[in-house]
Amino acid sequence: MAEFLFYALSIAAVLFGIGVISAKQPLMCVLSLLGSFVCLGVIYLLAQFQFMAAAQILVYAGAIMVLFLFVVMLLDLGNVEELKENSMRILGKKRITVAVVVAGGLALTSLLGTRDSMASAGPEPVVVRPDAYDPVAEIATLLFTRYLLAFEAAGLLLVASMVAVMVLAKRQREPLSDQR
Amino acid sequence: MNVPPEHMLVLAAVLFGLGVLGFLLRRNVIVVLASVELLLNAANLSFLAGARMHSGPDGFNLLGPVFAVFVILVAAAEAAVGLAIVIALYRLKQTVHLDQVAELKG
């Protein structure tokens, strides 16, 4: 049952991914992305990464999706988007071929590379016993001990990006310009 | 779930390919940012597949989830800054079409 669910969700995630890159309207693109996130979240749950599933749904399907939807709604892209974007005809065969080859090559390399490198042992694995398995506590312990520096750097990154967003999205005050 | 981790890797690779394709082919900046999110999700899925590959009956590997947490964090920061740039860009040029924003082209 779980296997069937995994494959069904995989197919759904891929279909939503195709929806993301082929959607005509940005809104449909963002909603397809949401579908893909939710499918992946359920896959994480099936693979017993409960914490990651929760983070996926909260951060991706919640926060990031709200940001995307907010921007799409704010900018009223419906009217702007008529213009000749529509990829396939304008872009020309050459560009599409190059893009497909690059994408396929990268995907294949990532697949083979990760498979081979993961087959080896890797950095000393942190393994916990299943009977004492408390994913959140274990992940938190790891974050605050072995990866403390990375964790603090990540916090710094978040603060920096927050400030950057405020600076970027702030309306520029030009005293003599007209009110937009 | 008894799915081999390799199948999760295949799914991750397919999503990664779709993300690269969208990133290269589409010119709407919102779609490009969405493709980047797809790429980061594929990376996350590979991390978790790796963690599954290294957890046996005697224990779970935790390095995968920990790195995935960092990926999610970076994705959040990236989306916030990227979308703020989109808003600033739209205010400046009233467009989200990347071909109309080529000032830095040499």
Side-chain angles (χ1 to χ4, degrees), chain A residues 45-116:
Chain A
L45 204 55
L46 287 176
Q48 293 180 320
F49 294 110
Q50 293 90 344
F51 174 69
M52 290 312 301
Q56 171 88 4
I57 298 298
L58 283 179
V59 178
Y60 270 120
I64 294 182
M65 240 348 94
V66 167
L67 267 180
F68 268 94
L69 281 176
F70 172 74
V71 170
V72 169
M73 301 291 182
L74 184 74
L75 298 188
D76 187 23
L77 300 174
N79 306 329
V80 190
E81 221 21 66
E82 310 320 88
L83 84 184
K84 70 255 163 171
E85 139 108 70
N86 273 324
S87 324
M88 301 308 157
R89 247 171 295 121
I90 302 297
L91 284 177
K93 283 223 168 58
K94 202 169 155 194
R95 198 161 155 191
I96 294 175
T97 320
V98 171
V100 169
V101 168
V102 169
L106 277 177
L108 206 62
T109 347
S110 71
L111 176 62
L112 298 179
T114 44
R115 199 200 54 195
D116 290 348

Side-chain angles (χ1 to χ4, degrees), chain A residues 6-77:
Chain A
F6 170 80
Y7 291 114
L9 285 166
S10 305
I11 292 169
V14 171
L15 288 180
F16 277 124
I18 293 174
V20 169
I21 67 170
S22 65
K24 292 223 164 51
Q25 298 166 335
L27 185 61
M28 292 321 288
C29 162
V30 172
L31 290 181
S32 302
L33 191 62
L34 175 62
S36 184
F37 286 166
V38 171
C39 290
L40 283 180
V42 181
I43 287 177
Y44 296 165
L45 204 55
L46 287 176
Q48 293 180 320
F49 294 110
Q50 293 90 344
F51 174 69
M52 290 312 301
Q56 171 88 4
I57 298 298
L58 283 179
V59 178
Y60 270 120
I64 294 182
M65 240 348 94
V66 167
L67 267 180
F68 268 94
L69 281 176
F70 172 74
V71 170
V72 169
M73 301 291 182
L74 184 74
L75 298 188
D76 187 23
L77 300 174

